[in-house]
Amino acid sequence: MKKVNLILLMFAALMLLSNMNVSKLKDNSVNDYPVYTGNDLGITYSPTKTFFKLWAPTAENVRLKIYTEGKDGEPIKMDNFKKDVQGTWIYILVGDWKNKFYTYQVQIGDKWNDETADIYAKAVGVNGLRAMVVDLKETNPTDWEKDKKPTLKSYSDIIIWEAHVRDFSINPNSGMKNKGKFLAFTEKGTKNTKGEKTGIDHLVDLGITHVHLLPAFDYLYLRVDETNPNTDKYNWGYDPQNFNVPEGSYSTNPYDGRVRINEFKQMVKSLHNNGIRVIMDVVYNHTADAGKSNFNLLVPDYYYRHSADGKLSNASGCGNETASEKPMMRKFMVESLVFWAKEYHIDGFRFDLMAIHDIETMNLIRSELDKVDKSIFLYGEGWTAGDSPLPSDQRASKENASKLNRIAVFSDEMRDGIRGSWSDAKAAGFMCGKEGLEESIKFGIVGGTFHPQIQYDKVNYTKKSYANEPTQLIDYVSCHDNPCLWDKINATCASISFAEKEKIQKLANAIVLTSQGVSFLHAGEEMIRTKHGVDNSYESPDSINWLNWDRKSMYNDVYNYYKSMISLRKGHPAFHMPTQVMISKNLKFFEMPKPLMVGYQISNHANGDKWKNIIVFFNSNAEQQEVAIPDGEWKIVANGEVINEKGLSQAGFESVQKGKTNVPGRSMLILVDKASVK
Ligand code: CA
């Protein structure tokens, strides 16, 4: 009997094992791979030798091939690596091999994988298929060592402008010569056809503090062919190929790997010289194509997660997701980010679908980047695009933001509160008359921190505060994803007049730019950008994606309003308090007489503001609404059309308000106690 039981038990155990997800087996087996602890993966160049090192613990053999060109031709040299410690392979190439190209080829079992540029490649040839030996010092622009980052006292001072390198300059009316290139960001004195500032001068005039570039690292050549970039083939770039190399189609010569590096650095230096910091959009969460990715050609399966059936899991929605919790993936991410921060002087990183990454990795990234520069700003999308084998309590999601150290998340609570649901282009939000979203807007106003007056059960999506501090929340109403603001307005309040829609275009970002979280603007909103109703323009042609600089002249009132809002925010620290404690002490919401209204008062010269008391109202009703205001004398400093810190004296508005005031329809109204307005 006993024996039978034992057999049954063994049988049951076997069944259990065979039922266990293959993924666990696949992902667990790699836990036995040796971990390399050194910091010299990739190449180390000197004029007398080039030292190659890669990590490939499952390889039987590794071969190095050297070429004179980045594409085509036969290798001029070929040799095998020597196995070294902790799963690594090394090769020393004696002599000066500067500016030659190379690939690795790894043998797994008895099969040779395709050639690959190393994952640690810092320079590549055209289309990123071969790596290049470069002396990085030679890629520095003049006075690169004197490059000075603009001052940043607090993350709460940040105002981000999110742009795509090509969109920025490719329109014939941009006035820029280097159309679609990094170098467009170095051009001063550029104008649209009406003679108004474009390019970097526009950014300086607008007053934003950070430019966030959509992926500008090397993305897949099948998306944009670097040998022929001026076709209708366009891409946002969320398809990484070489993580540590700038994109070639944005350089004036993608064949010579040094050129894109040099031109990227010139861009950074120019932005810095103009008082603007630079943020890179990074996409370590997936690769364009797992099968032939550099990761998989070197160490098959290791860098990815797998689901229960043993297949690649897909939290990215792109067919694969990387595994930040595995030591060598984690190491790769950290070293890549530190490289960009040190070599390219990058000031911030935006993590695509950040919840695919684990909290431990993100906090390690924070601490390693702190060693380079504590003012580097980190933020990301606190969600995934599909389920992940990574347990939800380990994800760097917005729900777990409080466990992240000085890393911010995008808030879709206020975003969709203002504009309407992302998943339905026709769903209206507060801005187009949908009631019941007021608490979601308050959520963004306090930067996602805890505030005793917010009814969290009425907040969109996450029914709780999740940011420890307001600097952990990105407040925004639109970005590259989904319809841009103007298109969303047109989709959700189609029947109203153009003038009324313009008011909404102002109101939506008036909420953002007075809110306590970090401000984020989609490039071109200040000139009523449209993508002509295309809501996912990731591969739409230039004519959909480009910034049409002449719109700045067509909608000059909108431009001036945005510029004034930014100036108001920068001049008044009360609108960007750095701590939850300060906000809950100084910011009190009013009871509103009607839906589609939000109002609050900031008191006590908050955060050192010269204004003692500030009242802010948003009214999304079409008609003006009368509201009670606290005792005392108040001056209007902003309405839906004008912002003047000395006080407005517009027809229809008494210069001094007492007891009550009228908030115009589809407008912001800001009042300041009379004694504070000088
Ligand atoms: Ca590319």
Side-chain angles (χ1 to χ4, degrees), residues 269-517:
K269 187 161 183 288
S270 166
L271 283 160
H272 284 173
N273 286 348
N274 284 278
I276 297 166
R277 287 182 164 233
V278 185
I279 294 167
M280 271 186 76
D281 199 334
V282 289
V283 191
Y284 296 101
N285 59 34
H286 76 281
T287 55
D289 167 22
K292 297 280 182 187
S293 74
N294 293 334
F295 285 140
N296 252 358
L297 291 175
L298 291 172
V299 192
D301 293 332
Y302 176 79
Y303 294 97
Y304 297 93
R305 293 191 188 122
H306 300 84
S307 53
D309 55 7
K311 291 184 182 149
L312 290 165
S313 55
N314 186 21
S316 71
C318 302
N320 65 80
E321 66 181 281
T322 55
S324 57
E325 71 281 10
K326 293 184 192 169
M328 292 304 288
M329 181 64 203
R330 178 176 287 164
K331 178 183 174 67
F332 177 75
M333 289 172 67
V334 169
E335 292 186 354
S336 175
L337 289 156
V338 167
F339 172 71
W340 282 104
K342 282 186 172 170
E343 184 69 27
Y344 289 90
H345 305 178
I346 297 296
D347 308 291
F349 298 97
R350 176 267 191 197
F351 292 82
D352 187 56
L353 300 175
M354 186 170 70
I356 292 178
H357 304 315
D358 66 293
I359 294 168
E360 190 181 338
T361 298
M362 290 309 302
N363 284 337
L364 179 65
I365 286 167
R366 176 74 272 172
S367 61
E368 290 302 310
L369 285 173
D370 277 350
K371 292 175 192 167
V372 182
D373 172 8
K374 282 193 166 168
S375 73
I376 289 173
F377 184 54
L378 303 179
Y379 58 107
E381 292 179 305
W383 48 75
T384 64
D387 198 16
S388 171
L390 185 71
S392 54
D393 64 347
Q394 291 173 32
R395 296 179 194 170
S397 62
K398 60 176 182 163
E399 290 82 1
N400 292 330
S402 65
K403 296 184 207 162
L404 294 168
N405 176 23
R406 289 165 42 242
I407 299 171
V409 293
F410 284 94
S411 168
D412 50 355
E413 287 81 14
M414 182 166 93
R415 182 196 70 194
D416 287 4
I418 297 173
R419 63 184 273 139
S421 169
W422 65 275
S423 62
D424 176 2
K426 294 217 176 305
F430 175 85
M431 68 180 188
C432 283
K434 167 99 171 146
E435 296 179 10
L437 294 164
E438 295 80 2
E439 297 300 311
S440 299
I441 287 167
K442 291 181 182 175
F443 179 96
I445 288 171
V446 299
T449 59
F450 177 73
H451 191 284
Q453 286 178 290
I454 294 179
Q455 299 175 52
Y456 287 97
D457 58 336
K458 293 184 181 162
V459 172
N460 264 344
Y461 314 129
T462 321
K463 309 275 177 211
K464 61 166 191 176
S465 64
Y466 53 71
N468 294 330
E469 306 294 1
T471 47
Q472 276 196 300
L473 201 85
I474 303 290
D475 272 324
Y476 71 127
V477 68
S478 61
C479 66
H480 64 280
D481 276 318
N482 304 121
C484 56
L485 178 58
W486 184 246
D487 291 354
K488 182 76 173 171
I489 293 169
N490 276 291
T492 57
C493 31
S495 60
I496 62 173
S497 70
F498 189 93
E500 291 296 299
K501 288 176 189 167
E502 256 196 14
K503 284 186 187 173
I504 298 172
Q505 182 83 11
K506 294 174 183 169
L507 172 64
N509 272 310
I511 300 172
V512 169
L513 287 164
T514 47
S515 287
Q516 300 292 330

Side-chain angles (χ1 to χ4, degrees), residues 2-12:
K2 215 174 177 180
K3 204 171 180 180
V4 173
N5 271 349
L6 194 65
I7 288 168
L8 272 174
L9 211 66
M10 281 173 70
F11 181 72

Side-chain angles (χ1 to χ4, degrees), residues 127 218-221 224 226 241 247-248:
N127 280 333
D218 182 37
Y219 56 84
L220 189 67
Y221 68 98
V224 172
E226 296 178 4
Q241 186 174 343
E247 162 60 17

